[in-house]
Amino acid sequence: MRVSQKTEYALKTVLDLAQHGDAGVVSTAHIARRQEIPVKFLEQILITLKNAGVVGSRRGPKGGYFLQQSPAEITVGAIVRLTESRPALPNNGDAAGEYCPFAEMWKEIEEHVHDTLEGLTIKEMCRRIQERSGKKSDAYVI
Amino acid sequence: MRVSQKTEYALKTVLDLAQHGDAGVVSTAHIARRQEIPVKFLEQILITLKNAGVVGSRRGPKGGYFLQQSPAEITVGAIVRLTESRPALPNNGDAAGEYCPFAEMWKEIEEHVHDTLEGLTIKEMCRRIQERSGKKSDAYVI
DNA sequence: AGTATTCCGATAAAATTAGTAGGGTATAGT
DNA sequence: ACTATACCCTACTAATTTTATCGGAATACT
């Protein structure tokens, strides 16, 4: 039961764009350096995100990527669904007409995970970072 | 985000023992046939279960496996933990001192999944099967 | 023109999962 | 004691998935 590196990268990428995309676009190279993602791998991920309409792009010098939806609209679930394409949990259906109680169990868990991820937005993630850094500052101030 | 076939097999195996182990032991061959699990793969799984103390065994003719704990004591989580050994979710910790809000998110989800699986026993799974087959019977009776 | 950057397809390497092979070991029944 | 049965164990192989890498084409800015 695992989440792929690709998904983790995709999330960090969108978060990076939300945090550093204020003034225009952000280049692949910048994201890669900050989030420690292999450049070529990141390119693929960005293309995926672009095809899904999450980000937009501008080519050529001074080019780069930017969020095409607001951080408040982009849910974590939406990103995860893009990169975690395969059937999340065993759809080991009721083989041979047999009822399998585990299938039901997995389904319930899957739904809960889905709802949780769908309830978390990139904006919320940014807020949590703010919150954390805020607390840090307080400690220093005192 | 997936659960391995091995885990699914292990769960079905324990369930099979709970359902067919009333009168002594159940052989690998029987479990394999009923649950459609490759025999040699099943052997490995049973050894894992045995080493964990979930099942016991008797060798020789008329030998086989049996539950060493009561179905009410065996939780689904206990089985899953045996076969799903690797770190469940990316412990992509706070690399370079950076705070990562996703780590926290995954942790919360992981805990919920853990609690859910830990709250479900094999006995409960058996009950659900009973319940389901009971409803079926009712339909016929009427 | 020259350069920076996104775009795209193919391929390769690594890791994990799923399954096989083949023999070893204990035990029940004869 | 012999033999058949079934557990026990280690190693290996095959398939799949994940994680990249490579090389270049398209595009846009200066």
Side-chain angles (χ1 to χ4, degrees):
Chain A
M1 203 138 95
R2 266 193 95 234
V3 167
S4 71
Q5 192 76 330
K6 190 173 181 178
T7 294
E8 203 65 21
Y9 286 162
L11 289 172
K12 286 186 177 180
T13 297
V14 174
L15 189 66
D16 191 278
L17 285 173
Q19 293 191 297
H20 300 97
D22 308 317
V25 302
V26 181
S27 76
T28 305
H30 278 85
I31 301 172
R33 185 148 15 91
R34 272 195 296 262
Q35 307 299 332
E36 302 181 43
I37 305 173
V39 179
K40 286 302 225 176
F41 198 15
L42 177 56
E43 280 187 359
Q44 291 182 357
I45 292 168
L46 280 164
I47 289 173
T48 302
L49 291 171
K50 183 186 167 157
N51 291 338
V54 177
V55 306
S57 65
R58 224 173 57 200
R59 305 231 271 205
K62 302 270 182 181
Y65 291 90
F66 52 91
L67 291 186
Q68 210 154 35
Q69 302 167 20
S70 90
E73 289 172 323
I74 305 172
T75 68
V76 172
I79 311 297
V80 171
R81 265 183 285 119
L82 285 179
T83 51
E84 217 74 14
S85 51
R86 296 187 314 148
L89 288 169
N91 58 343
N92 51 7
D94 317 328
E98 286 284 326
Y99 164 69
C100 177
F102 299 118
E104 196 182 334
M105 174 187 82
W106 293 129
K107 196 181 163 204
E108 276 173 26
I109 289 177
E110 189 179 10
E111 280 172 5
H112 177 267
V113 171
H114 179 272
D115 291 350
T116 301
L117 296 181
E118 218 54 46
L120 288 170
T121 65
I122 294 301
K123 185 183 178 187
E124 166 64 12
M125 290 301 160
C126 289
R127 193 193 62 72
R128 290 188 184 187
I129 291 173
Q130 284 286 347
E131 188 182 56
R132 171 64 67 106
S133 71
K135 277 181 187 166
K136 245 183 200 166
S137 302
D138 283 359
Y140 280 125
V141 169
I142 298 170
Chain B
M1 200 138 95
R2 268 192 91 236
V3 167
S4 71
Q5 192 77 330
K6 190 173 182 180
T7 293
E8 204 65 20
Y9 286 161
L11 289 172
K12 286 186 176 177
T13 297
V14 174
L15 189 66
D16 191 279
L17 285 173
Q19 293 190 297
H20 301 96
D22 309 319
V25 303
V26 182
S27 75
T28 305
H30 279 85
I31 302 172
R33 184 147 17 88
R34 272 195 297 262
Q35 306 299 333
E36 303 180 45
I37 305 173
V39 179
K40 286 301 222 173
F41 199 15
L42 176 57
E43 280 189 357
Q44 292 180 358
I45 293 167
L46 280 163
I47 288 174
T48 302
L49 291 172
K50 184 185 166 160
N51 290 338
V54 176
V55 307
S57 65
R58 221 174 58 200
R59 306 231 271 203
K62 304 270 182 179
Y65 291 90
F66 51 91
L67 291 186
Q68 210 155 32
Q69 302 166 22
S70 92
E73 287 173 321
I74 305 172
T75 68
V76 172
I79 311 298
V80 171
R81 265 183 285 118
L82 285 179
T83 50
E84 215 75 13
S85 51
R86 296 187 317 144
L89 288 169
N91 58 342
N92 53 8
D94 316 327
E98 287 285 325
Y99 164 68
C100 177
F102 300 118
E104 197 182 333
M105 175 188 82
W106 292 129
K107 195 182 162 200
E108 276 172 26
I109 290 176
E110 189 180 10
E111 280 172 5
H112 177 268
V113 171
H114 179 272
D115 291 351
T116 301
L117 296 181
E118 217 55 44
L120 288 170
T121 65
I122 294 300
K123 185 182 179 187
E124 166 64 13
M125 291 299 158
C126 290
R127 192 193 62 74
R128 291 187 184 187
I129 291 173
Q130 285 285 348
E131 188 183 57
R132 170 65 66 107
S133 72
K135 278 180 186 167
K136 244 182 200 164
S137 301
D138 282 0
Y140 280 124
V141 169
I142 297 171

